[in-house]
Protein backbone atom coordinates (compact mmCIF):
# COMPACT_ATOMS: atom_id res chain seq x y z
CA UNK A 1 0.00 0.00 0.00
CA UNK A 2 2.85 2.36 0.89
CA UNK A 3 4.60 1.60 -2.39
CA UNK A 4 1.48 2.46 -4.39
CA UNK A 5 1.14 5.77 -2.53
CA UNK A 6 4.79 6.65 -3.11
CA UNK A 7 4.53 5.77 -6.82
CA UNK A 8 1.40 7.88 -7.15
CA UNK A 9 3.11 10.87 -5.51
CA UNK A 10 6.21 10.50 -7.74
CA UNK A 11 4.05 10.24 -10.84
CA UNK A 12 2.11 13.39 -9.86
CA UNK A 13 5.32 15.35 -9.19
CA UNK A 14 6.79 14.31 -12.53
CA UNK A 15 3.59 15.21 -14.36
CA UNK A 16 3.39 18.66 -12.76
CA UNK A 17 7.07 19.45 -13.36
CA UNK A 18 6.71 18.49 -17.05
CA UNK A 19 3.67 20.72 -17.30
CA UNK A 20 5.64 23.68 -15.93
CA UNK A 21 8.51 22.99 -18.36
CA UNK A 22 6.02 23.06 -21.24
CA UNK A 23 4.65 26.40 -20.06
CA UNK A 24 8.16 27.87 -19.95
CA UNK A 25 8.94 26.52 -23.43
CA UNK A 26 5.66 27.94 -24.77
CA UNK A 27 6.45 31.37 -23.29
CA UNK A 28 9.89 31.30 -24.94
CA UNK A 29 8.40 30.27 -28.31
CA UNK A 30 5.81 33.08 -28.15
CA UNK A 31 8.53 35.60 -27.32
CA UNK A 32 10.72 34.42 -30.23
CA UNK A 33 7.82 34.42 -32.69
CA UNK A 34 6.64 37.88 -31.61
CA UNK A 35 10.06 39.32 -32.44
CA UNK A 36 9.78 38.29 -36.10
CA UNK A 37 6.12 39.11 -36.66
CA UNK A 38 4.67 42.38 -37.91
CA UNK A 39 1.48 43.23 -36.01
CA UNK A 40 -1.24 45.69 -37.01
CA UNK A 41 -3.98 46.65 -34.54
CA UNK A 42 -7.00 48.67 -35.56
CA UNK A 43 -9.07 50.41 -32.86
CA UNK A 44 -12.64 50.88 -34.07
CA UNK A 45 -16.22 51.20 -33.06
CA UNK A 46 -18.35 48.92 -35.26
CA UNK A 47 -21.79 48.07 -33.93
CA UNK A 48 -22.48 44.87 -35.87
CA UNK A 49 -20.55 41.63 -36.29
CA UNK A 50 -18.29 41.76 -39.32
CA UNK A 51 -15.10 40.50 -40.94
CA UNK A 52 -12.23 42.95 -41.48
CA UNK A 53 -9.31 42.36 -43.82
CA UNK A 54 -5.72 43.64 -43.80
CA UNK A 55 -3.95 43.47 -47.14
CA UNK A 56 -0.24 44.10 -47.56
CA UNK A 57 2.51 44.16 -50.16
CA UNK A 58 6.21 43.59 -49.74
CA UNK A 59 7.38 45.10 -53.03
CA UNK A 60 6.41 48.75 -52.49
CA UNK A 61 3.46 48.56 -54.87
CA UNK A 62 -0.24 48.79 -54.06
CA UNK A 63 -1.03 45.62 -55.98
CA UNK A 64 -2.80 43.89 -53.08
CA UNK A 65 -3.35 40.47 -54.67
CA UNK A 66 -1.07 38.21 -52.59
CA UNK A 67 -1.10 39.08 -48.90
CA UNK A 68 -4.39 39.22 -47.00
CA UNK A 69 -5.44 38.40 -43.45
CA UNK A 70 -9.06 38.21 -42.30
CA UNK A 71 -10.21 38.80 -38.75
CA UNK A 72 -13.67 38.46 -37.16
CA UNK A 73 -15.13 41.36 -35.23
CA UNK A 74 -17.94 41.13 -32.69
CA UNK A 75 -20.20 44.17 -32.92
CA UNK A 76 -20.07 46.57 -29.99
CA UNK A 77 -21.05 50.09 -29.01
CA UNK A 78 -17.60 50.41 -27.40
CA UNK A 79 -14.16 50.82 -28.92
CA UNK A 80 -12.44 47.53 -29.59
CA UNK A 81 -9.24 46.29 -31.15
CA UNK A 82 -8.93 44.11 -34.25
CA UNK A 83 -5.46 42.54 -34.37
CA UNK A 84 -3.70 41.17 -37.45
CA UNK A 85 -0.44 39.20 -37.42
CA UNK A 86 1.48 38.97 -40.67
CA UNK A 87 3.21 35.67 -41.45
CA UNK A 88 6.64 35.14 -39.92
CA UNK A 89 9.34 37.13 -41.75
CA UNK A 90 6.79 39.01 -43.89
CA UNK A 91 7.46 42.75 -43.78
CA UNK A 92 4.94 45.12 -45.39
CA UNK A 93 5.86 48.07 -47.56
CA UNK A 94 2.23 49.17 -47.99
CA UNK A 95 -1.04 48.36 -46.18
CA UNK A 96 -4.71 48.42 -47.14
CA UNK A 97 -7.61 47.92 -44.73
CA UNK A 98 -11.06 46.66 -45.68
CA UNK A 99 -13.54 47.60 -42.96
CA UNK A 100 -15.94 44.72 -43.23
CA UNK A 101 -18.33 43.08 -45.61
CA UNK A 102 -21.55 43.19 -43.58
CA UNK A 103 -23.97 45.24 -45.70
CA UNK A 104 -25.99 46.01 -42.55
CA UNK A 105 -22.99 47.56 -40.78
CA UNK A 106 -23.64 51.17 -39.86
CA UNK A 107 -21.03 53.89 -39.74
CA UNK A 108 -17.64 52.85 -38.36
CA UNK A 109 -15.46 55.07 -36.19
CA UNK A 110 -11.72 54.59 -36.65
CA UNK A 111 -9.80 55.58 -33.52
CA UNK A 112 -6.27 54.38 -34.28
CA UNK A 113 -4.03 52.09 -36.28
CA UNK A 114 -0.99 50.71 -34.48
CA UNK A 115 1.89 48.96 -36.26
CA UNK A 116 4.44 46.99 -34.22
CA UNK A 117 7.61 45.11 -35.09
CA UNK A 118 10.49 43.89 -32.89
CA UNK A 119 9.54 46.08 -29.95
CA UNK A 120 9.05 49.25 -32.04
CA UNK A 121 5.63 50.82 -32.35
CA UNK A 122 4.00 53.40 -34.63
CA UNK A 123 0.62 54.65 -33.39
CA UNK A 124 -1.44 56.57 -35.93
CA UNK A 125 -4.35 58.65 -34.61
CA UNK A 126 -6.49 61.64 -35.55
CA UNK A 127 -5.42 63.71 -38.53
CA UNK A 128 -2.31 61.52 -38.99
CA UNK A 129 -4.64 58.75 -40.19
CA UNK A 130 -5.55 60.96 -43.15
CA UNK A 131 -1.88 61.64 -43.88
CA UNK A 132 -0.98 57.95 -44.10
CA UNK A 133 -4.22 56.43 -45.43
CA UNK A 134 -6.91 57.52 -47.88
CA UNK A 135 -10.45 56.21 -48.24
CA UNK A 136 -11.44 54.44 -51.42
CA UNK A 137 -13.79 57.24 -52.48
CA UNK A 138 -15.82 54.88 -54.66
CA UNK A 139 -16.76 52.94 -51.52
CA UNK A 140 -16.72 55.32 -48.54
CA UNK A 141 -16.13 58.77 -47.10
CA UNK A 142 -13.84 59.53 -44.16
CA UNK A 143 -13.71 62.45 -41.74
CA UNK A 144 -10.22 62.51 -40.16
CA UNK A 145 -11.36 64.95 -37.45
CA UNK A 146 -13.93 62.49 -36.05
CA UNK A 147 -12.69 59.17 -37.49
CA UNK A 148 -16.13 58.57 -39.05
CA UNK A 149 -16.21 56.15 -42.00
CA UNK A 150 -19.46 56.12 -43.99
CA UNK A 151 -20.09 53.49 -46.64
CA UNK A 152 -21.42 54.73 -49.97
CA UNK A 153 -24.38 53.08 -51.68
CA UNK A 154 -24.33 52.41 -55.42
CA UNK A 155 -27.45 51.20 -57.20
CA UNK A 156 -29.01 50.44 -53.82
CA UNK A 157 -26.02 48.32 -52.75
CA UNK A 158 -23.96 49.43 -49.77
CA UNK A 159 -20.24 49.26 -50.59
CA UNK A 160 -17.62 47.79 -48.24
CA UNK A 161 -15.40 50.64 -47.00
CA UNK A 162 -11.66 50.40 -47.48
CA UNK A 163 -8.54 52.49 -46.93
CA UNK A 164 -5.57 52.58 -49.27
CA UNK A 165 -2.16 53.87 -48.30
CA UNK A 166 -0.88 57.33 -49.06
CA UNK A 167 2.07 55.51 -50.63
CA UNK A 168 4.63 58.32 -50.40
CA UNK A 169 3.89 58.76 -46.67
CA UNK A 170 3.08 55.28 -45.36
CA UNK A 171 5.96 53.40 -47.01
CA UNK A 172 8.73 55.41 -45.25
CA UNK A 173 6.92 55.14 -41.88
CA UNK A 174 6.74 51.35 -42.18
CA UNK A 175 10.47 51.19 -43.02
CA UNK A 176 11.31 53.03 -39.80
CA UNK A 177 9.97 50.11 -37.76
CA UNK A 178 12.48 47.75 -39.37
CA UNK A 179 15.52 49.81 -38.36
Amino acid sequence: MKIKSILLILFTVCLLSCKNDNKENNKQEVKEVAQNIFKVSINVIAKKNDDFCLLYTEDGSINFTKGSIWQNLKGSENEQQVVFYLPKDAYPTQLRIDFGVNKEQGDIVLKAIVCEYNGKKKEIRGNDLGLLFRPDETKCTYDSATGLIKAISKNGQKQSPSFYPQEANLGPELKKLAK
Side-chain angles (χ1 to χ4, degrees):
M1 194 74 140
K2 271 187 169 181
I3 293 175
K4 286 183 182 180
S5 297
I6 292 172
L7 287 175
L8 182 62
I9 291 171
L10 284 174
F11 177 74
T12 304
V13 168
C14 287
L15 185 64
L16 290 175
S17 66
C18 289
K19 202 174 208 181
N20 288 338
D21 287 346
N22 286 339
K23 284 182 185 177
E24 291 301 317
N25 288 339
N26 288 342
K27 286 180 187 176
Q28 183 64 26
E29 286 175 24
V30 169
K31 187 176 180 181
E32 287 174 12
V33 169
Q35 289 180 357
N36 295 321
I37 300 228
F38 196 96
K39 175 182 169 185
V40 178
S41 305
I42 303 169
N43 295 6
V44 295
I45 298 172
K47 296 179 182 173
K48 300 204 183 254
N49 293 350
D50 216 333
D51 294 306
F52 282 24
C53 185
L54 176 75
L55 298 99
Y56 64 95
T57 62
E58 295 182 87
D59 62 3
S61 75
I62 58 167
N63 183 15
F64 296 104
T65 58
K66 294 186 180 179
S68 65
I69 304 162
W70 286 88
Q71 200 59 262
N72 291 36
L73 169 95
K74 295 278 186 203
S76 175
E77 298 279 333
N78 301 315
E79 181 177 337
Q80 58 187 309
Q81 193 173 65
V82 183
V83 180
F84 300 91
Y85 294 95
L86 274 64
K88 185 176 181 182
D89 298 325
Y91 196 88
T93 54
Q94 297 293 340
L95 299 171
R96 180 180 116 192
I97 303 164
D98 289 357
F99 292 95
V101 293
N102 183 350
K103 300 298 182 193
E104 295 178 15
Q105 185 70 261
D107 296 340
I108 296 171
V109 179
L110 176 61
K111 297 290 194 173
I113 298 172
V114 180
C115 299
E116 297 178 64
Y117 185 73
N118 280 344
K120 293 184 181 177
K121 182 191 274 191
K122 172 70 178 175
E123 187 167 352
I124 310 162
R125 291 188 169 277
N127 289 328
D128 288 343
L129 286 164
L131 296 174
L132 299 176
F133 291 91
R134 60 184 167 80
D136 179 342
E137 293 176 345
T138 65
K139 296 181 177 185
C140 65
T141 61
Y142 174 65
D143 181 348
S144 63
T146 62
L148 188 65
I149 301 170
K150 287 184 170 275
I152 294 174
S153 290
K154 284 187 185 176
N155 301 325
Q157 287 282 353
K158 194 171 191 179
Q159 303 298 302
S160 297
S162 62
F163 273 21
Y164 278 81
Q166 298 273 15
E167 300 103 288
N169 298 336
L170 183 61
E173 289 299 318
L174 293 174
K175 284 182 184 177
K176 289 178 186 177
L177 291 173
K179 294 180 181 180

